[in-house]
Amino acid sequence: MAEKIIILDFGSQYTQLIARRVRELNVYCEIHPFSKVPELDQTVKGLILSGSPCSVRQDDNPDVDLDSIIGKVPLLGICYGAQLIAHKTGGEILPSEIREYGRAKLATVDMHNELMKEVNIGSQVWMSHGDTILETPEELEVIAKTDSANAAFRHRTQPVWGLQFHPEVTHSEQGKIVLRNFVVHICGCNQDWTPDVFVESTVDQLKAQLGDDQVVLGLSGGVDSSVAAMLIHQAIGKNLHCIFVDNGLLRKNEFQNVLKSYQGMGLNVKGVDASSEFYEALKGLTDPEAKRKAIGRVFIEVFDKEAHAIQNVKWLGQGTIYPDVIESVSVNGPSVTIKSHHNVGGLPEKMKMKVVEPLNTLFKDEVRRVGKTLGIDDAILGRHPFPGPGLGIRILGDITAEKVQILQEVDHIFINGLKQSGLYDDVWQAGAMLLPIQSVGVMGDERTYERVVALRAVTSVDGMTADWCHLPYEFLAQVSNDIINRVKGVNRVVYDISSKPPATIEWE
Ligand code: XMP
């Protein structure tokens, strides 16, 4: 990687957003925990200190040795990061009289300062802080204010800046300009980190890393594994062996359709129908976690068997993406935890292979852009997320082939309806749940006592929080009609109007 910005994370909910904004400027950046400052070699063009839920006034506040940074590379503190700089240079940090949270307007701006170039007086900024920098020390000069707080400062002799507001959130109207000023004008980054360049350099790296070795990779039909496969395929061609397992819990016709598009992409892919093994292992299981475990276990067994049927495989390819590997900072102490990748938990350990993860520096939207550069079908790139255990966690209670077939039909009508109405891309994730209850209905002159399905559609950014989609009533009415008329065994459709939290996206 030619050049990068380092972001030191003090536990703010916005840290990943800072990274995404920097990358939108076509500049590569990495997030590191505050307790592990990486070496500031020639490739590091600048450093950003994130916000934090902590206060610099509290004992054991998250801290970093600024002397080892200042003067080596330009430094920008955001919110807590700015308070830390001010505090350490002798400034006075006090609790805000009013906890400032939300929108404020810049009342004064020093537009001659490099950081604030092209930023206007009256521009809205987003504040989220309980502390305020009341007094700045002699070394620091205030370069922007709101009516009630110091909004930005610079160091008089060192390349150091601080922002009390959050430039990374969209509510800060000119936040992107401020970040561009720092990254491009102050740090001098070239803005040449594009999907094309990523593909070219990653394929070169993969060629060097893998040589003539054989690699095996499990495809899921999702964006990440598909893009990872295409990158590795570009590097080593037929030496990449892809395995696509039908667990019997996929969407209607998904296995055949996706297998066909993988073959069309030139991938060396083997489809394995293991439905009966999965159904067998799931027989009688009703507890969601027990079902997940059984599905995970059988997947590993099937995959392992298929992988070992290929001669001399040394590597396991995986579509792990950046949010899965960022070390998240625990604000209640210096301890650091690493999120596990719940799709493939346990696979690398079991396989005893080296792991190759070409997407582990990318965010989801970047994976999509790289996929586009690689010429992957929009139908794969724009696909909603789908859980690894598939319909297995959308059939509440025990699973049978008959229930799977009913839910596949219901889901198909719902998802197709979203596509045909042009609503699919406005929804982050959608699906149907088969409930373990029956309800009374009437069809013609007959009383019925049949199954109930719930439809769920949510908007979200990353699945961590979600809101239910306000789908048009006419659309819901049509889908409900279609389901009840066409799917035998279902006589009632309900729509889930719960947000996450407190509900989750999946029902199990
Ligand atoms: P929840 O239900 O936790 O879901 O709000 C958040 C996101 O994660 C997906 N999900 C899973 N994905 N294995 C997966 O690969 C799982 O066991 C699993 N459980 C939930 C869910 O579909 C949503 O996108």
Side-chain angles (χ1 to χ4, degrees):
M1 210 59 71
E3 55 178 31
K4 64 185 167 206
I5 296 287
I6 297 292
I7 299 164
L8 285 189
D9 181 21
F10 291 94
S12 164
Q13 56 174 328
Y14 297 132
T15 304
Q16 288 197 21
L17 209 48
I18 303 173
R20 293 170 68 155
R21 293 285 173 263
V22 172
R23 287 172 176 216
E24 279 166 18
L25 295 162
N26 293 333
V27 173
Y28 179 71
C29 66
E30 287 172 2
I31 298 173
H32 292 263
F34 71 88
S35 52
K36 288 191 196 165
V37 183
E39 192 199 337
L40 301 181
D41 61 20
Q42 299 245 317
T43 63
V44 179
K45 297 293 175 197
L47 198 142
I48 297 176
L49 306 178
S50 85
S52 172
C54 302
S55 162
V56 295
R57 293 173 296 103
Q58 79 191 48
D59 291 340
D60 299 333
N61 64 305
D63 198 6
V64 66
D65 175 18
L66 289 185
D67 293 338
S68 67
I69 299 169
I70 290 178
K72 292 207 174 105
V73 290
L75 176 68
L76 173 68
I78 294 178
C79 200
Y80 177 86
Q83 290 161 7
L84 195 66
I85 294 168
H87 180 62
K88 287 189 165 231
T89 37
E92 196 175 359
I93 314 294
L94 285 177
S96 306
E97 287 193 357
I98 32 167
R99 188 179 156 82
E100 204 169 11
Y101 188 84
R103 295 169 173 82
K105 286 202 184 302
L106 292 179
T108 67
V109 177
D110 175 1
M111 277 171 268
H112 300 296
N113 188 272
E114 284 164 294
L115 188 68
M116 301 309 281
K117 238 177 228 164
E118 294 176 38
V119 176
N120 304 323
I121 290 173
S123 182
Q124 177 181 290
V125 292
W126 183 258
M127 296 287 197
S128 169
H129 57 108
D131 283 349
T132 190
I133 304 167
L134 200 67
E135 287 286 326
T136 48
E138 189 47 37
E139 293 105 301
L140 303 184
E141 180 193 0
V142 174
I143 53 174
K145 286 184 179 187
T146 65
D147 280 340
S148 56
N150 290 322
F153 64 74
R154 68 157 184 131
H155 196 289
R156 289 181 199 276
T157 56
Q158 294 288 353
V160 175
W161 286 260
L163 295 169
Q164 180 61 74
F165 62 91
H166 287 274
E168 67 277 19
V169 306
T170 48
H171 306 294
S172 290
E173 286 167 346
Q174 294 184 303
K176 280 186 186 173
I177 296 179
V178 177
L179 284 174
R180 181 208 61 194
N181 288 345
F182 180 69
V183 168
V184 179
H185 300 320
I186 294 175
C187 300
C189 292
N190 283 321
Q191 296 186 281
D192 52 8
W193 190 70
T194 59
D196 287 346
V197 169
F198 175 84
V199 169
E200 206 177 300
S201 65
T202 306
V203 169
D204 284 348
Q205 275 167 28
L206 288 169
K207 277 184 185 156
Q209 185 182 11
L210 302 171
D212 290 330
D213 289 352
Q214 309 289 316
V215 179
V216 65
L217 181 144
L219 288 168
S220 69
V223 180
D224 304 342
S225 63
S226 308
V227 175
M230 277 306 276
L231 272 173
I232 301 175
H233 174 77
Q234 288 222 340
I236 63 168
K238 294 280 179 228
N239 285 353
L240 171 69
H241 305 263
C242 300
I243 296 170
F244 181 33
V245 176
D246 184 357
N247 58 10
L249 303 164
L250 301 174
R251 296 195 137 118
K252 186 180 173 184
N253 299 335
E254 181 99 333
F255 184 63
Q256 297 78 355
N257 292 346
V258 172
L259 196 56
K260 221 184 266 164
S261 50
Y262 281 143
Q263 284 158 348
M265 281 154 58
L267 290 175
N268 174 13
V269 56
K270 178 172 181 195
V272 182
D273 179 1
S275 315
S276 54
E277 275 140 285
F278 283 88
Y279 292 160
E280 187 57 35
L282 285 165
K283 212 177 243 173
L285 294 185
T286 53
D287 174 66
E289 286 313 300
K291 291 199 283 183
R292 274 194 175 80
K293 283 211 180 89
I295 295 167
R297 192 191 68 235
V298 177
F299 178 79
I300 290 176
E301 282 166 16
V302 172
F303 189 84
D304 193 45
K305 190 168 141 230
E306 293 296 330
H308 280 98
I310 307 163
Q311 298 285 306
N312 277 330
V313 179
K314 290 220 177 91
W315 298 85
L316 173 68
Q318 294 209 107
T320 314
I321 65 170
Y322 196 40
D324 299 321
V325 296
I326 297 174
E327 292 186 28
S328 51
V329 167
S330 159
V331 291
N332 299 319
S335 74
V336 161
T337 48
I338 301 177
K339 282 195 226 168
S340 66
H341 194 278
H342 62 191
N343 277 338
V344 285
L347 198 52
E349 294 78 6
K350 162 89 182 164
M351 308 280 301
K352 298 198 177 68
M353 289 176 189
K354 291 187 274 186
V355 174
V356 53
E357 299 175 316
L359 307 178
N360 66 4
T361 58
L362 299 188
F363 289 110
K364 192 87 178 183
D365 47 338
E366 295 167 339
V367 173
R368 288 209 171 92
R369 266 183 277 147
V370 166
K372 225 174 168 52
T373 298
L374 288 165
I376 298 178
D377 216 348
D378 279 344
I380 290 184
L381 294 181
R383 184 166 289 193
H384 290 168
F386 188 67
L391 302 183
I393 53 167
R394 292 187 180 170
I395 294 169
L396 277 67
D398 72 320
I399 293 163
T400 61
E402 185 223 350
K403 288 184 188 173
V404 170
Q405 207 245 331
I406 291 175
L407 188 58
Q408 280 179 335
E409 293 301 326
V410 171
D411 177 82
H412 184 68
I413 292 171
F414 183 33
I415 299 295
N416 248 10
L418 286 170
K419 286 183 179 159
Q420 280 164 8
S421 317
L423 293 164
Y424 186 83
D425 292 335
D426 299 337
V427 172
W428 191 79
Q429 186 172 15
M433 324 291 157
L434 187 68
L435 306 189
I437 50 170
Q438 285 173 282
S439 82
V440 173
V442 50
M443 257 188 188
D445 294 331
E446 299 265 322
R447 176 187 181 279
T448 59
Y449 187 57
E450 292 185 318
R451 297 180 191 281
V452 182
V453 292
L455 306 182
R456 180 115 168 99
V458 296
T459 52
S460 178
V461 175
D462 52 12
M464 303 294 280
T465 61
D467 199 4
W468 61 278
C469 270
H470 297 217
L471 293 175
Y473 282 176
E474 297 71 24
F475 170 78
L476 289 170
Q478 185 62 50
V479 167
S480 164
N481 249 343
D482 290 348
I483 290 171
I484 293 172
N485 287 337
R486 289 204 235 140
V487 186
K488 210 163 165 280
V490 174
N491 71 352
R492 194 175 295 267
V493 176
V494 297
Y495 187 57
D496 183 348
I497 54 166
S498 331
S499 58
K500 172 183 179 177
T504 50
I505 295 175
E506 304 296 343
W507 279 39
E508 283 199 334

